[in-house]
Amino acid sequence: MGKRHETIGIKQAIRFEWMQKAANLLLAGLDAKVIRQELHEFFADRKVSASECEQSTQTRTFVVNNLMKIWVSPDQELMPFRDASLEILQKNPSMAVPIHWGLISAVYPFWFNVARQTGRLLALQNQITQNQIINRLKEQYGDRQTVSRYAKYVIRSFVAWGVLQDSEAKGCYEKSAPMNTPEPNLAILMFESALRATPEAKGALKLILNNPAFFPFQLPVMTGDFIAQRSERIKVVRYGLDDELLKLVTT
C-alpha cells in the first residue's frame, strides 16, 4: 500500500473541534489554498499545545499540515473514501466522532495502531498506562524515540476527543462509555477505514468487527453480502464454512 503505513506523521495532538473546522471548510466548497489560509488564521490566536514552549509557528504548521492531509488533500487512493466520509458527515453530523476517527485512521495508520493497542489493553484491564501502550507500539515500530513522543500526542488526542479519560493517577487512563453507531453505511465506512489502515488491505469480517482499534464505538453486526451490496470499494471473499474476508477493490 506504500509509505502511508510506515509513516508516523502525527507530530501534535489533534483536537476533535479542529477536525470539524477542516471538514466544515471543505463542506463550504472552499479550495485547498483558501482552506490552508483559513486554518492558519484560525490557529493564529489559539493554543495548540499544553506546553507554552511549544506555541511556535512550526507547531501550528504541523497541525495545519495534518488537517490538510486528513480532510483536504489526502493521498489520491484515499479520495473516494474521503468523499464518502464527507457525504456521511453532511447527512449525519451527530456521528462526527466515528467519521473523523475512520478518516484519520486511514490517512495515518499510526493513529489506528495506537487505538488498537489501547483497545487491547482496555479489554484486559479497567485502567491502562501510557507506558503500556507505548511498549506495545515499540514491538511494532521499533524502539525509536519518535514512536514514544508521537504516541503520546495520539493518546492525548484520545483524551481530548473524550474516548479516554484521565484517571486520578498521572499517566493512567480509563475507557469512556462506548458510542453507539447504528447507521449501517457509517459502520461500513469504519470497516473500510480498518482495511485502509492495514498494509494487506484485507481482513476477516469477524476480526474487523471486533477490532480493538474501534474501542470507542459499538458497531452493528452485519453480513458480508450486506456490506458488498452497499459498498463499491469493498469485496467479500468466502472461505471455510461461514467465514468472510473483506478486501479493498483495487482499480
Side-chain angles (χ1 to χ4, degrees), residues 223-239:
T223 65
D225 281 340
F226 183 82
I227 294 168
Q229 287 167 10
R230 292 203 173 209
S231 175
E232 58 188 22
R233 295 182 302 276
I234 299 176
K235 67 178 178 180
V236 179
V237 179
R238 283 179 182 74
Y239 65 99

Side-chain angles (χ1 to χ4, degrees), residues 76-205:
Q76 193 61 39
E77 68 185 39
L78 295 176
M79 289 297 277
F81 178 68
R82 190 283 310 267
D83 292 344
S85 300
L86 197 64
E87 185 180 346
I88 290 186
L89 181 62
Q90 193 168 24
K91 292 177 181 175
N92 301 276
S94 64
M95 291 286 103
V97 172
I99 294 167
H100 290 307
W101 190 275
L103 188 57
I104 198 171
S105 294
V107 174
Y108 290 112
F110 184 70
W111 176 287
F112 184 82
N113 287 322
V114 176
R116 188 160 55 92
Q117 300 301 351
T118 302
R120 279 181 175 173
L121 287 162
L122 287 169
L124 299 172
Q125 55 206 64
N126 293 328
Q127 288 192 347
I128 61 173
T129 68
Q130 185 173 270
N131 286 339
Q132 286 175 324
I133 300 169
I134 290 169
N135 286 339
R136 288 193 169 211
L137 286 164
K138 285 178 178 178
E139 293 173 11
Q140 180 178 356
Y141 288 94
D143 192 1
R144 291 181 281 163
Q145 189 179 6
T146 50
V147 172
S148 178
R149 184 165 70 249
Y150 295 162
K152 290 175 184 176
Y153 292 144
V154 177
I155 295 165
R156 290 314 304 170
S157 300
F158 293 171
V159 176
W161 286 40
V163 301
L164 270 189
Q165 296 179 356
D166 287 312
S167 71
E168 292 180 5
K170 188 178 179 181
C172 199
Y173 308 98
E174 299 171 354
K175 183 180 178 181
S176 300
M179 180 184 298
N180 191 25
T181 53
E183 166 57 43
N185 289 336
L186 171 56
I188 293 169
L189 204 70
M190 301 287 281
F191 298 157
E192 183 178 345
S193 80
L195 296 176
R196 295 194 179 278
T198 306
E200 300 78 19
K202 62 184 178 182
L205 174 55

Side-chain angles (χ1 to χ4, degrees), residues 2-30:
K3 194 172 147 186
R4 202 162 37 89
H5 298 89
E6 299 161 18
T7 305
I8 293 176
I10 297 174
K11 298 179 180 179
Q12 184 60 48
I14 305 291
R15 290 186 171 272
F16 169 74
E17 56 266 31
W18 301 345
M19 295 281 285
Q20 280 285 78
K21 178 68 176 178
N24 286 338
L25 290 170
L26 197 59
L27 284 168
L30 304 179

